Amino acid sequence: MQRLLYAVPAVLALVLAAASIGAADTSQPFLLVLAKGPDPGSTTPSGADALAEVAQAGATTLKIGPATVPWTDGDITAANSADRAALAHGLGTWVNLSTVARATPTSGDTLLAQVVNSLKADAGAPAIALWKGADEPQWSGFAPSSLEFAYCRATGRGQTSWCAGEPVLDTSHPFVTIEAPKNADQLQPYSAVTDV
């Protein structure tokens, strides 16, 4: 429970920082992210459109995509639908790439490219506000070096060699990594493989 209490302010701080570097609608003073928000087409207990209600209540961004299992074709289809629905309600999306955040040129890269390219090519693409990287990588024992390829490939940032000669997928959106509260010295190496 204590870990969750630390995580909520950390997420808000990260999202506020993402807003300051140009993610999503910059006319908003901050992003209010629902992780996860209502599904497209869902309704509130009173029968109202759930996405319209959360937008009216001040939410700006919805986290989408699988958190702990690899993306499937069905997940990509659902994420495209979620992007289109979010866009129709004036909302942005935070796309969960955590399960492909440790992709390498020989493992996971095809799926990373399929997810990013499909979402960017869909009519809902303007809703994409942020990419979500590995979830608490230091806590999970993932070395920063294991995140270099996916970060570079997804965003074009980091050292050019990290992309291993593969073309960059997207340069327009920040990459956000959630970290469990730890000593700043332990987390500092991860700043090279994320924007926020």
Side-chain angles (χ1 to χ4, degrees):
M1 178 64 170
Q2 192 173 36
R3 188 171 156 193
L4 176 63
L5 292 175
Y6 288 121
V8 171
V11 169
L12 290 175
L14 291 172
V15 172
L16 290 172
S20 72
I21 62 171
D25 181 0
T26 57
S27 67
Q28 294 285 336
F30 61 89
L31 297 178
L32 178 57
V33 179
L34 298 182
K36 293 198 166 197
D39 291 328
S42 61
T43 58
T44 66
S46 66
D49 182 295
L51 289 175
E53 188 163 304
V54 297
Q56 184 178 8
T60 63
T61 311
L62 308 172
K63 188 170 85 166
I64 64 171
T68 59
V69 296
W71 283 77
T72 65
D73 289 343
D75 292 324
I76 294 170
T77 299
N80 280 321
S81 294
D83 276 340
R84 289 190 299 273
L87 185 62
H89 289 87
L91 297 164
T93 60
W94 184 19
V95 181
N96 197 343
L97 297 179
S98 62
T99 62
V100 289
R102 293 191 312 141
T104 69
T106 58
S107 175
D109 179 46
T110 301
L111 183 56
L112 173 64
Q114 181 184 4
V115 171
V116 172
N117 287 334
S118 178
L119 271 60
K120 282 183 47 191
D122 191 77
I128 300 169
L130 312 147
W131 301 114
K132 181 184 181 295
D135 194 34
E136 301 180 357
Q138 198 278 335
W139 186 277
S140 300
F142 303 155
S145 60
S146 73
L147 307 173
E148 291 172 352
F149 174 76
Y151 174 63
C152 183
R153 178 87 152 106
T155 67
R157 293 184 282 280
Q159 295 180 25
T160 305
S161 62
W162 293 353
C163 284
E166 295 294 333
V168 173
L169 300 170
D170 178 52
T171 59
S172 301
H173 301 95
F175 202 81
V176 179
T177 300
I178 300 298
E179 278 289 6
K182 292 274 189 175
N183 178 306
D185 292 339
Q186 293 174 319
L187 298 180
Q188 194 285 327
Y190 292 91
S191 65
V193 290
T194 192
D195 299 321
V196 181

